[in-house]
Short mmCIF file of all heavy atoms in Angstrom, two decimals:
data_model
loop_
_atom_site.label_atom_id
_atom_site.label_comp_id
_atom_site.label_asym_id
_atom_site.label_seq_id
_atom_site.Cartn_x
_atom_site.Cartn_y
_atom_site.Cartn_z
N MET A 253 0.84 -1.23 0.02
CA MET A 253 0.01 0.03 0.07
C MET A 253 0.89 1.22 -0.02
O MET A 253 1.82 1.30 0.82
CB MET A 253 -0.88 -0.01 1.27
CG MET A 253 -1.72 1.32 1.38
SD MET A 253 -2.83 1.16 2.75
CE MET A 253 -3.66 2.75 2.70
N ILE A 254 0.53 2.16 -0.86
CA ILE A 254 1.40 3.41 -0.94
C ILE A 254 0.91 4.41 0.24
O ILE A 254 -0.32 4.63 0.38
CB ILE A 254 1.09 4.18 -2.25
CG1 ILE A 254 1.62 3.22 -3.39
CG2 ILE A 254 1.87 5.47 -2.33
CD1 ILE A 254 1.42 3.72 -4.74
N VAL A 255 1.88 4.91 0.85
CA VAL A 255 1.62 5.73 2.04
C VAL A 255 1.33 7.13 1.50
O VAL A 255 2.08 7.67 0.62
CB VAL A 255 2.69 5.80 3.02
CG1 VAL A 255 2.45 6.74 4.17
CG2 VAL A 255 3.07 4.47 3.46
N ARG A 256 0.18 7.75 1.90
CA ARG A 256 -0.05 9.13 1.58
C ARG A 256 0.24 9.93 2.80
O ARG A 256 0.06 9.44 3.92
CB ARG A 256 -1.53 9.22 1.03
CG ARG A 256 -1.78 8.37 -0.12
CD ARG A 256 -3.20 8.41 -0.62
NE ARG A 256 -3.32 7.37 -1.65
CZ ARG A 256 -3.26 7.53 -2.94
NH1 ARG A 256 -2.79 8.74 -3.32
NH2 ARG A 256 -3.34 6.60 -3.86
N PRO A 257 0.70 11.14 2.73
CA PRO A 257 0.29 12.30 1.99
C PRO A 257 0.86 12.46 0.50
O PRO A 257 1.73 11.64 0.21
CB PRO A 257 0.72 13.59 2.80
CG PRO A 257 1.87 12.95 3.57
CD PRO A 257 1.61 11.60 3.81
N VAL A 260 4.50 11.99 -0.77
CA VAL A 260 4.96 10.66 -0.90
C VAL A 260 4.60 10.02 -2.25
O VAL A 260 5.21 9.35 -2.88
CB VAL A 260 4.38 9.79 0.34
CG1 VAL A 260 4.84 8.31 0.17
CG2 VAL A 260 4.75 10.40 1.60
N LEU A 283 2.94 -1.70 -6.59
CA LEU A 283 2.70 -1.45 -5.11
C LEU A 283 1.31 -1.11 -4.90
O LEU A 283 0.74 -1.41 -3.78
CB LEU A 283 3.50 -0.17 -4.78
CG LEU A 283 4.99 -0.37 -4.73
CD1 LEU A 283 5.66 0.98 -4.40
CD2 LEU A 283 5.51 -1.36 -3.78
N MET A 307 9.86 1.66 -2.22
CA MET A 307 9.22 1.78 -0.81
C MET A 307 10.15 2.53 0.17
O MET A 307 9.71 3.47 0.87
CB MET A 307 8.92 0.40 -0.35
CG MET A 307 7.75 -0.35 -0.95
SD MET A 307 6.16 0.44 -0.45
CE MET A 307 6.09 0.05 1.34
N GLY A 310 10.04 6.20 -0.84
CA GLY A 310 8.72 6.78 -0.44
C GLY A 310 8.51 6.93 1.03
O GLY A 310 8.05 7.94 1.49
N LEU A 311 9.02 6.03 1.79
CA LEU A 311 8.82 6.05 3.31
C LEU A 311 9.80 7.22 3.92
O LEU A 311 9.34 7.91 4.82
CB LEU A 311 9.10 4.72 3.91
CG LEU A 311 8.07 3.63 3.74
CD1 LEU A 311 8.54 2.31 4.11
CD2 LEU A 311 6.75 3.97 4.47
N ALA A 314 7.84 10.14 3.34
CA ALA A 314 6.69 10.21 4.33
C ALA A 314 7.10 10.66 5.70
O ALA A 314 6.47 11.55 6.26
CB ALA A 314 6.06 8.76 4.54
N TRP A 315 8.22 10.20 6.12
CA TRP A 315 8.81 10.74 7.46
C TRP A 315 9.10 12.21 7.36
O TRP A 315 8.81 13.00 8.38
CB TRP A 315 9.91 9.95 7.93
CG TRP A 315 9.63 8.64 8.45
CD1 TRP A 315 9.79 7.36 7.83
CD2 TRP A 315 8.94 8.30 9.72
NE1 TRP A 315 9.39 6.39 8.67
CE2 TRP A 315 8.89 7.00 9.80
CE3 TRP A 315 8.49 9.14 10.79
CZ2 TRP A 315 8.29 6.30 10.94
CZ3 TRP A 315 7.92 8.52 11.82
CH2 TRP A 315 7.79 7.14 11.93
N LEU A 318 6.27 14.49 7.67
CA LEU A 318 5.80 14.57 9.03
C LEU A 318 6.71 15.34 9.92
O LEU A 318 6.52 15.31 11.22
CB LEU A 318 5.41 13.13 9.57
CG LEU A 318 4.32 12.40 8.92
CD1 LEU A 318 4.31 10.97 9.36
CD2 LEU A 318 3.07 13.11 9.03
N GLU A 505 13.62 2.50 10.47
CA GLU A 505 13.86 1.58 9.28
C GLU A 505 12.76 1.91 8.25
O GLU A 505 11.59 1.78 8.56
CB GLU A 505 13.75 0.14 9.71
CG GLU A 505 14.13 -0.74 8.63
CD GLU A 505 14.16 -2.20 9.19
OE1 GLU A 505 14.17 -2.47 10.34
OE2 GLU A 505 14.37 -3.15 8.24
N SER A 507 11.27 0.45 5.57
CA SER A 507 10.95 -0.70 4.82
C SER A 507 9.64 -1.13 5.09
O SER A 507 8.96 -0.73 6.03
CB SER A 507 11.96 -1.79 5.19
OG SER A 507 11.73 -2.18 6.57
N PRO A 508 9.03 -2.06 4.27
CA PRO A 508 7.56 -2.47 4.49
C PRO A 508 7.49 -3.48 5.73
O PRO A 508 6.31 -3.71 6.19
CB PRO A 508 7.31 -3.26 3.23
CG PRO A 508 8.55 -3.72 2.66
CD PRO A 508 9.60 -2.53 2.98
N HIS A 509 8.58 -3.87 6.29
CA HIS A 509 8.55 -4.68 7.50
C HIS A 509 9.81 -4.60 8.22
O HIS A 509 10.90 -4.58 7.60
CB HIS A 509 8.31 -6.22 7.14
CG HIS A 509 8.05 -7.06 8.36
ND1 HIS A 509 7.05 -6.99 9.14
CD2 HIS A 509 8.91 -7.97 9.02
CE1 HIS A 509 7.05 -7.93 10.09
NE2 HIS A 509 8.27 -8.47 10.03
N PRO A 510 9.89 -4.41 9.49
CA PRO A 510 11.16 -4.18 10.17
C PRO A 510 11.96 -5.48 10.22
O PRO A 510 11.60 -6.50 10.79
CB PRO A 510 10.72 -3.87 11.65
CG PRO A 510 9.35 -4.33 11.78
CD PRO A 510 8.78 -4.21 10.40
N GLY A 527 10.26 0.89 13.39
CA GLY A 527 9.97 0.60 11.98
C GLY A 527 9.07 1.63 11.37
O GLY A 527 8.66 2.59 11.91
N SER A 528 8.67 1.37 10.02
CA SER A 528 7.73 2.26 9.38
C SER A 528 6.36 1.55 9.19
O SER A 528 5.37 2.10 9.50
CB SER A 528 8.30 2.71 8.15
OG SER A 528 9.53 3.54 8.28
N LEU A 529 6.46 0.40 8.59
CA LEU A 529 5.26 -0.43 8.37
C LEU A 529 5.55 -1.85 8.85
O LEU A 529 6.70 -2.13 9.28
CB LEU A 529 4.91 -0.49 6.88
CG LEU A 529 4.83 0.86 6.10
CD1 LEU A 529 4.47 0.69 4.63
CD2 LEU A 529 3.56 1.65 6.75
N ARG A 530 4.47 -2.71 8.83
CA ARG A 530 4.66 -4.10 9.22
C ARG A 530 3.86 -4.95 8.23
O ARG A 530 2.93 -4.42 7.53
CB ARG A 530 4.07 -4.34 10.65
CG ARG A 530 4.82 -3.62 11.68
CD ARG A 530 4.40 -4.13 13.16
NE ARG A 530 4.82 -5.54 13.32
CZ ARG A 530 6.03 -5.87 13.74
NH1 ARG A 530 6.90 -4.88 14.10
NH2 ARG A 530 6.31 -7.11 13.91
N ARG A 531 4.36 -6.11 8.05
CA ARG A 531 3.69 -7.13 7.10
C ARG A 531 2.27 -7.25 7.37
O ARG A 531 1.93 -7.52 8.52
CB ARG A 531 4.45 -8.52 7.15
CG ARG A 531 4.00 -9.35 6.10
CD ARG A 531 4.80 -10.67 6.15
NE ARG A 531 6.15 -10.51 5.93
CZ ARG A 531 7.09 -10.67 6.87
NH1 ARG A 531 6.84 -10.92 8.07
NH2 ARG A 531 8.44 -10.47 6.47
N GLY A 532 1.41 -6.93 6.47
CA GLY A 532 -0.05 -7.00 6.66
C GLY A 532 -0.62 -5.79 7.39
O GLY A 532 -1.80 -5.68 7.52
N GLU A 533 0.18 -4.76 7.70
CA GLU A 533 -0.28 -3.53 8.30
C GLU A 533 0.39 -2.41 7.59
O GLU A 533 1.32 -1.74 8.12
CB GLU A 533 0.14 -3.57 9.86
CG GLU A 533 -0.44 -4.68 10.69
CD GLU A 533 0.07 -4.65 12.10
OE1 GLU A 533 -0.17 -3.66 12.68
OE2 GLU A 533 0.70 -5.60 12.57
N GLY A 534 -0.20 -2.03 6.48
CA GLY A 534 0.44 -1.10 5.67
C GLY A 534 -0.22 0.39 5.62
O GLY A 534 -0.17 1.03 4.69
N ASP A 535 -1.00 0.71 6.69
CA ASP A 535 -1.78 1.88 6.63
C ASP A 535 -0.93 3.00 7.37
O ASP A 535 0.02 2.75 7.98
CB ASP A 535 -3.12 1.76 7.21
CG ASP A 535 -3.13 1.27 8.69
OD1 ASP A 535 -2.22 1.37 9.34
OD2 ASP A 535 -4.18 0.77 9.05
N LEU A 536 -1.53 4.11 7.35
CA LEU A 536 -0.77 5.32 7.90
C LEU A 536 -0.75 5.33 9.46
O LEU A 536 0.07 6.03 10.02
CB LEU A 536 -1.61 6.59 7.41
CG LEU A 536 -0.82 7.94 7.73
CD1 LEU A 536 0.50 7.98 6.97
CD2 LEU A 536 -1.76 9.02 7.24
N SER A 537 -1.62 4.48 10.10
CA SER A 537 -1.61 4.51 11.57
C SER A 537 -0.28 4.20 12.20
O SER A 537 0.04 4.74 13.24
CB SER A 537 -2.73 3.64 12.07
OG SER A 537 -2.44 2.27 11.68
N LEU A 538 0.39 3.27 11.59
CA LEU A 538 1.70 2.86 12.12
C LEU A 538 2.65 3.96 12.06
O LEU A 538 3.50 4.22 13.06
CB LEU A 538 2.21 1.65 11.40
CG LEU A 538 1.61 0.29 11.66
CD1 LEU A 538 2.12 -0.77 10.91
CD2 LEU A 538 1.71 0.01 13.12
N LEU A 539 2.74 4.72 10.87
CA LEU A 539 3.59 5.94 10.81
C LEU A 539 3.16 6.89 11.95
O LEU A 539 4.05 7.53 12.63
CB LEU A 539 3.44 6.60 9.54
CG LEU A 539 4.32 6.06 8.32
CD1 LEU A 539 3.98 6.79 7.14
CD2 LEU A 539 5.82 6.03 8.69
N LEU A 540 1.95 7.21 12.12
CA LEU A 540 1.55 8.16 13.24
C LEU A 540 1.94 7.70 14.54
O LEU A 540 2.28 8.56 15.42
CB LEU A 540 0.07 8.46 12.94
CG LEU A 540 -0.34 9.11 11.66
CD1 LEU A 540 -1.88 9.38 11.59
CD2 LEU A 540 0.42 10.39 11.27
N LYS A 541 1.70 6.48 14.83
CA LYS A 541 2.13 5.94 16.13
C LYS A 541 3.58 6.10 16.31
O LYS A 541 4.06 6.50 17.38
CB LYS A 541 1.81 4.44 16.17
CG LYS A 541 2.10 3.80 17.61
CD LYS A 541 1.69 2.36 17.53
CE LYS A 541 2.07 1.70 18.88
NZ LYS A 541 1.70 0.20 18.92
N GLY A 542 4.34 5.78 15.26
CA GLY A 542 5.82 6.15 15.32
C GLY A 542 6.13 7.53 15.61
O GLY A 542 7.03 7.88 16.39
N LEU A 543 5.47 8.40 14.89
CA LEU A 543 5.60 9.80 15.10
C LEU A 543 5.41 10.25 16.50
O LEU A 543 6.21 11.06 17.07
CB LEU A 543 4.81 10.65 14.17
CG LEU A 543 4.92 12.13 14.12
CD1 LEU A 543 6.31 12.52 13.61
CD2 LEU A 543 3.76 12.75 13.38
N HIS A 562 -4.77 14.50 7.75
CA HIS A 562 -5.11 13.13 8.03
C HIS A 562 -6.19 12.99 9.26
O HIS A 562 -6.43 11.93 9.74
CB HIS A 562 -3.99 12.27 8.48
CG HIS A 562 -2.82 12.47 7.51
ND1 HIS A 562 -2.84 12.12 6.31
CD2 HIS A 562 -1.49 12.95 7.73
CE1 HIS A 562 -1.73 12.33 5.67
NE2 HIS A 562 -0.90 12.88 6.41
#
Side-chain angles (χ1 to χ4, degrees):
M253 175 177 180
I254 298 174
V255 183
R256 303 176 185 273
V260 182
L283 293 176
M307 284 290 293
L311 286 169
W315 284 108
L318 296 174
E505 186 173 352
S507 67
H509 186 76
S528 296
L529 304 176
R530 297 189 67 85
R531 189 178 294 112
E533 301 177 55
D535 59 20
L536 191 61
S537 62
L538 286 178
L539 277 180
L540 298 181
K541 181 180 178 180
L543 183 67
H562 310 300

